[in-house]
C-alpha cells in the first residue's frame, strides 16, 4: 500500500526519478521513430527494446513473479511519459498491464508462475481479448465458446480489435462456458500464440495508434490445458470488469501523456512562429488557449493518479473513480490535441509536425477500454444505486 494509504496519493521522489528516467529514454530512443512508425504503420520495435532494457515494459508485475512490483502511480507515469512522445509505444506497458491483470487478480498461483515471469523478463507480452464484433459495449453478449473436454478447454469463436495482437505471445480470453447463465456463464482463460487452433487475423487499418497492431483472434477448436482457466468457471466476466477498474486509469495516463506532448509542442511553436510582426505567443487569445490546455491536463493528471492509487485500497467508488479518470482525461486529450493543431495553423494540419498524429491518437482514448458513454453509464449507475 506504501504511500497510498486510504487511497490518497502523494508523488514521491521515486516517482519523479521514474518520470525523469522514462522521459530521457522516450526522448532519446522512442521519439525519433514516432513519425515513421505512424507513417508506415509499423510496430515500434525500438521502443520495445528500449523499454525492456530499462525495465519499463511491465513495471506493475509483482516481485514474486520477477517484476518490479511498481505501485500503480509509477506505472501510470511510465505510460504517460512514453505516450507524450508516441502513443503507440505506450501501449506496450499499458497492454501488458491490461492483459495480465485478470491473472494477477484471479489466477491460480501455478498459472501466475507459468505466465507472469516471461512478461516481467520481457520475453513475452500479453494482450486482452474481451470484445467481439457484435459484443463491444455489451461485452456480456459475446459468442466465443469454451467447452471442457477431458484435461482440456476447447475454444471456438472470434475476438475483435485486440491491441498488440500478433506481437503478444499470451492472450487473456473471455469465453462463454455456460450459455444459460448470461454474464455469470463467462469464464476467462490464458491462451498462448502457439496453442493449436489459435490464429491472428490481418491488421486493421486505423486512424491512429498505427504502430500498435490491432487484429482479430480466431479460435478453431483451440485446445488449451484445463489449468489455463483464470479462477472458477463463470467468474470471467467479473474478472474482466474488475480488470478495467485497474486499467482505465492507465488509459487516462496515456491520454494525459498525449495531451502533454501536444501542449509542449504548441508552446515551443507559438514562441517561434511570427505573424503581424511578433511571436504568436504574444497574443492574449493564444495565451488563454495555452492556459486552458495546461489547466485541463493538470486536472486530468491528478484525477488519474487518485484513481490509480485507489485501486490499491479498493472501495465502493473505485469503478466510478476509474471511469471518471478515463473519460475525463481522454476528453481532455481530444480537446487539447485539437487546440494544439489549431495553434500550429496550416502547419499543424500537415505531417511535418507531430500534433496531427497526436490528435488522431487521442481519439482512440475516448473509445477503447469502454467508450466514454459507457464510462458515464458506470458513473451514473454508481451515483444512482
Ligand atoms: N468489478 C467486478 N464485478 C463487476 C463490475 C466490476 N467493476 N462491474 C460489474 N460487475 C459484475 C456485476 O456485479 C454483475 O454481477 P452480479 O450479477 O453477480 O451482480 C456482473 O458483473 C454483470 O454486471 P452488469 O449486470 O452491470 O453487466 P452489464 O451487461 O450491464 O454490463 C457494462 C456492464 C456495460 C458496464 C460493461 O459491459 C462494460 O464495462 N462494457 C464496456 C466493455 C469495455 O470496456 N470494453 C472494452 C474492452 S477493453 S479494449
Amino acid at each position: 500500500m506504501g504511500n497510498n494509504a486510504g487511497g490518497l496519493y502523494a508523488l514521491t521522489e521515486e516517482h519523479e526519478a521514474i518520470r525523469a528516467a522514462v522521459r530521457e529514454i522516450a526522448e532519446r530512443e522512442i521519439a525519433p521513430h514516432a513519425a515513421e512508425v505512424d507513417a508506415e504503420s509499423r510496430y515500434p520495435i525500438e521502443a520495445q527494446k528500449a523499454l525492456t532494457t530499462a525495465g519499463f515494459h511491465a513495471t506493475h508485475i509483482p516481485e514474486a513473479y520477477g517484476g518490479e512490483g511498481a505501485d500503480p502511480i509509477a506505472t501510470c507515469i511510465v505510460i504517460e511519459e512514453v505516450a507524450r512522445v508516441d502513443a503507440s509505444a505506450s501501449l506496450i506497458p499499458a497492454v501488458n498491464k491490461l492483459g495480465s491483470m485478470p491473472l494477477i487478480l484471479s489466477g491460480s498461483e501455478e498459472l501466475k508462475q507459468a505466465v507472469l515471469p516471461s512478461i516481467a523478463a520481457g520475453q513475452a507480452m500479453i494482450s486482452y481479448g474481451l470484445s467481439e464484433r457484435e459484443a463491444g459495449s455489451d461485452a456480456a453478449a459475446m459468442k466465443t465458446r469454451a467447452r471442457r473436454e477431458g484435461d482440456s478447454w476447447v475454444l471456438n469463436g472470434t475476438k475483435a480489435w485486440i491491441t498488440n495482437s500478433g506481437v503478444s505471445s499470451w492472450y487473456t480470453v473471455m469465453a462463454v462456458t455456460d450459455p444459460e447463465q448470461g454474464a455469470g456463464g463467462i469464464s476467462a482463460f490464458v491462451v498462448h500464440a502457439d496453442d493449436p487452433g489459435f490464429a491472428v487475423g490481418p491488421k486493421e487499418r486505423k486512424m491512429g495508434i498505427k504502430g500498435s497492431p490491432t487484429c482479430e483472434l480466431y479460435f478453431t477448436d483451440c485446445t488449451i490445458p484445463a489449468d489455463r482457466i483464470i479462477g472458477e468457471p463463470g467468474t470471467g466476466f467479473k474478472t474482466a470488469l474488475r480488470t478495467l477498474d485497474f486499467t482505465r486509469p492507465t488509459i487516462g495516463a496515456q491520454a494525459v501523456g498525449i495531451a502533454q506532448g501536444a501542449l509542449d509542442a504548441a508552446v515551443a511553436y507559438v514562441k517561434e512562429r511570427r505573424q503581424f510582426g511578433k511571436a504568436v505567443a504574444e497574443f492574449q487569445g493564444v495565451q488563454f488557449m495555452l492556459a486552458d490546455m495546461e489547466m485541463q491536463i493538470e486536472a486530468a493528471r491528478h484525477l488519474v493518479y487518485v484513481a490509480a492509487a485507489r485501486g490499491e485500497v479498493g472501495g465502493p467508488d473505485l469503478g466510478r473513480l476509474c471511469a471518471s479518470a478515463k473519460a475525463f482525461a481522454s476528453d481532455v486529450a481530444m480537446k487539447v490535441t485539437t487546440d494544439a493543431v489549431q495553434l500550429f495553423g496550416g502547419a499543424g494540419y500537415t505531417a511535418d509536425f507531430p500534433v496531427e498524429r497526436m490528435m488522431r491518437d487521442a481519439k482512440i482514448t475516448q473509445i477503447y477500454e469502454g467508450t466514454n458513454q459507457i464510462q458515464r453509464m458506470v458513473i451514473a449507475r454508481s451515483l444512482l444505486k
Side-chain angles (χ1 to χ4, degrees):
M1 196 184 300
N3 198 43
N4 299 320
L8 297 173
Y9 85 92
L11 293 187
T12 62
E13 281 179 16
E14 199 184 340
H15 287 134
E16 292 311 332
I18 289 171
R19 185 186 297 282
V22 182
R23 182 167 293 202
E24 211 253 312
I25 291 167
E27 288 188 342
R28 194 182 63 227
E29 298 185 51
I30 302 176
H33 306 285
E36 184 193 301
V37 158
D38 174 65
E40 297 178 2
S41 295
R42 73 159 175 86
Y43 182 68
I45 189 69
E46 301 87 352
Q48 188 189 323
K49 284 183 185 151
L51 292 171
T52 306
T53 304
F56 289 133
H57 57 292
T59 48
H60 68 286
I61 295 195
E63 287 168 1
Y65 310 102
E68 306 279 331
D71 68 79
I73 293 178
T75 301
C76 281
I77 290 172
V78 171
I79 293 165
E80 186 186 326
E81 286 299 323
V82 177
R84 184 175 157 273
V85 302
D86 183 358
S88 290
S90 72
L91 285 163
I92 294 168
V95 173
N96 271 338
K97 179 157 183 180
L98 175 64
S100 60
M101 273 319 283
L103 191 51
I104 292 171
L105 290 171
S106 311
S108 69
E109 189 53 34
E110 296 71 30
L111 192 53
K112 288 181 191 174
Q113 288 292 354
V115 175
L116 296 176
S118 64
I119 299 161
Q123 295 154 351
M125 301 205 299
I126 183 163
S127 291
Y128 178 84
L130 175 67
S131 301
E132 300 180 3
R133 290 276 166 205
E134 303 304 327
S137 292
D138 186 6
M142 69 180 65
K143 294 277 183 290
T144 296
R145 293 286 302 269
R147 63 173 196 276
R148 184 72 190 256
E149 273 190 15
D151 285 341
S152 304
W153 287 99
V154 180
L155 280 69
N156 279 286
T158 303
K159 292 288 167 183
W161 306 298
I162 307 306
T163 308
N164 282 353
S165 43
V167 290
S168 285
S169 305
W170 296 106
Y171 296 83
T172 298
V173 178
M174 273 50 76
V176 177
T177 45
D178 184 350
E180 306 297 313
Q181 299 296 323
I186 291 170
S187 306
F189 302 89
V190 182
V191 175
H192 191 273
D194 293 339
D195 287 329
F198 173 83
V200 175
K203 280 199 311 188
E204 303 287 351
R205 296 168 303 134
K206 305 190 299 274
M207 171 190 279
I209 54 161
K210 292 186 180 211
S212 168
T214 307
C215 313
E216 288 188 327
L217 306 179
Y218 307 130
F219 303 89
T220 313
D221 285 332
C222 175
T223 305
I224 60 172
D227 59 8
R228 293 257 211 91
I229 190 166
I230 297 174
E232 294 299 314
T235 61
F237 193 67
K238 282 185 189 176
T239 297
L241 292 189
R242 254 186 92 207
T243 292
L244 297 174
D245 288 343
F246 290 85
T247 59
R248 284 174 176 160
T250 65
I251 296 305
Q254 181 187 43
V256 167
I258 296 170
Q260 188 68 57
L263 176 59
D264 292 349
V267 166
Y269 187 78
V270 297
K271 288 200 273 191
E272 292 295 321
R273 172 75 174 163
R274 298 184 69 81
Q275 289 291 279
F276 303 101
K278 53 184 176 181
V280 297
E282 290 179 44
F283 291 96
Q284 198 178 46
V286 167
Q287 292 174 3
F288 281 9
M289 281 178 77
L290 294 174
D292 281 337
M293 292 156 86
E294 163 64 19
M295 281 191 275
Q296 292 170 72
I297 294 171
E298 198 58 11
R301 177 176 287 123
H302 290 286
L303 181 53
V304 163
Y305 295 165
V306 168
R310 181 63 63 84
E312 292 201 312
V313 290
D317 59 350
L318 174 66
R320 182 170 86 213
L321 205 50
C322 293
S324 299
K326 189 272 189 193
F328 186 79
S330 58
D331 286 350
V332 163
M334 199 64 242
K335 174 82 171 75
V336 166
T337 54
T338 306
D339 285 350
V341 170
Q342 192 69 22
L343 286 171
F344 272 73
Y349 202 67
T350 72
D352 295 339
F353 292 94
V355 286
E356 63 84 31
R357 165 171 54 85
M358 292 166 170
M359 184 177 160
R360 287 184 286 106
D361 287 345
K363 185 63 210 171
I364 191 61
T365 65
Q366 295 182 304
I367 297 173
Y368 62 15
E369 292 210 24
T371 62
N372 283 3
Q373 287 70 29
I374 288 291
Q375 309 305 326
R376 286 176 168 86
M377 223 174 87
V378 169
I379 295 163
R381 273 189 188 181
S382 157
L383 287 174
L384 296 170
K385 80 167 184 268

